[in-house]
Amino acid sequence: MPGLLRGVARTAVVAGTATAVSNRVSRRQQGRWAQQEPQQAPEQAYQQAPPQPAPTAEQPPDMSSKIDQLKQLGELKAQGVLTEAEFADQKRRILDS
């Protein structure tokens, strides 16, 4: 019986240590990813939603194009790529063009 208890105790210690190490590695990876996201996010947002030239008097504004751009902008905001301020700024640019 003492041998069985020793084996169970050893297994519990090993499993607990493995869980603690795994959790620490996960937290460190999430921290690194969180640091990388803000640096990459503005570049991706501006690459995916380029501003359209303003329509001239001869050319009426293309509403379907604006709607598509606004949809893309909303998706970027939903994904967390754009902040609320960046979203509002880009939306204003699209609607003013």
Side-chain angles (χ1 to χ4, degrees):
M1 189 75 156
L4 180 62
L5 279 175
R6 188 176 309 144
V8 170
R10 182 179 298 151
T11 302
V13 168
V14 169
T17 303
T19 301
V21 170
S22 173
N23 289 341
R24 183 171 182 216
V25 169
S26 295
R27 281 192 304 270
R28 288 179 68 195
Q29 285 178 342
Q30 288 175 348
R32 288 181 184 167
W33 291 338
Q35 289 174 352
Q36 291 175 354
E37 285 178 8
Q39 295 170 357
Q40 295 173 353
E43 296 171 7
Q44 291 174 352
Y46 290 113
Q47 289 174 357
Q48 292 180 0
Q52 294 290 326
T56 60
E58 301 86 30
Q59 177 186 4
D62 185 13
M63 287 307 290
S64 64
S65 148
K66 286 185 180 184
I67 291 172
D68 290 340
Q69 288 178 341
L70 290 172
K71 285 181 184 177
Q72 289 176 347
L73 202 61
E75 290 172 4
L76 290 173
K77 182 181 171 216
Q79 294 172 0
V81 174
L82 293 176
T83 64
E84 184 67 36
E86 292 170 330
F87 174 77
D89 183 47
Q90 291 296 322
K91 183 172 98 172
R92 181 185 47 80
R93 288 182 184 183
I94 291 170
L95 294 175
D96 287 347
S97 66

